[in-house]
């Protein structure tokens, strides 16, 4: 089922690099090393323009994570970054009041000329 969801590093590589660096700085080397394997399961659909949060593991919205859950705020240079971690796995990345994420898949399409107007 995980292969159905793209690797986060293929969609938002700058975010993955930032998360890994912040986690290392916070003394979370295991989470930092796993950042490159996170999958983009879903982006938040709350509709708030300040929110770019994303789910990295399947979970029913509105339900608690239960035992093994912890919130891990990270000292980002802009906005708010808080991770939900369950059993030492990042399951949600809360991104609030941050510059817009740039989707690397869109850049690749533009660079290869795919998806553009017919010639």
């Amino acid at each position: 089922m995980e292969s159905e969801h793209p690797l986060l590093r293929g969609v938002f590589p700058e975010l993955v690099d930032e998360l890994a660096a912040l986690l290392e700085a916070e003394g979370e080397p295991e989470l930092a090393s796993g950042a490159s394997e996170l999958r983009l399961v879903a982006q938040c659909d709350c509709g708030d323009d300040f929110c770019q949060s994303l789910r990295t593991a399947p979970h029913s919205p509105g339900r608690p994570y239960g035992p093994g859950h912890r919130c891990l705020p990270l000292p980002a240079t802009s906005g708010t970054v808080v991770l939900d971690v369950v059993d030492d796995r990042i399951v949600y990345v809360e991104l609030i009041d941050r510059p817009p994420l740039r989707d690397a898949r869109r850049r690749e399409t533009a660079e290869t000329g795919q998806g553009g107007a017919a010639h």
Side-chain angles (χ1 to χ4, degrees):
M1 178 162 75
E2 286 190 352
S3 63
E4 296 174 16
H5 305 290
L7 286 168
L8 191 58
R9 70 174 181 243
V11 181
F12 302 122
E14 293 91 359
L15 175 62
V16 172
D17 292 344
E18 180 184 12
L19 290 176
L22 290 170
L23 287 163
E24 281 288 342
E26 287 297 296
E28 298 279 357
E30 294 84 13
L31 291 177
S33 66
S36 65
E37 299 307 313
L38 293 173
R39 300 229 173 233
L40 177 58
V41 173
Q43 291 183 264
C44 183
D45 62 358
C46 71
D48 292 330
D49 60 355
F50 56 83
C51 178
Q52 299 180 80
S53 301
L54 45 95
R55 192 169 311 289
T56 60
H59 182 76
S60 299
R63 303 215 27 173
Y65 285 109
H69 172 254
R70 65 182 171 122
C71 282
L72 179 60
L74 297 176
T77 56
S78 69
T80 301
V81 177
V82 180
L83 305 180
D84 282 302
V85 179
V86 177
D87 296 329
D88 295 320
R89 180 177 179 206
I90 299 168
V91 297
Y92 193 79
V93 181
E94 183 177 8
L95 302 168
I96 304 296
D97 291 327
R98 293 180 43 91
L101 292 171
R102 292 181 297 181
D103 189 328
R105 298 171 300 182
R106 291 191 183 129
R107 287 192 306 249
E108 286 175 12
T109 301
E111 289 170 3
T112 62
Q114 297 174 1
H119 299 296

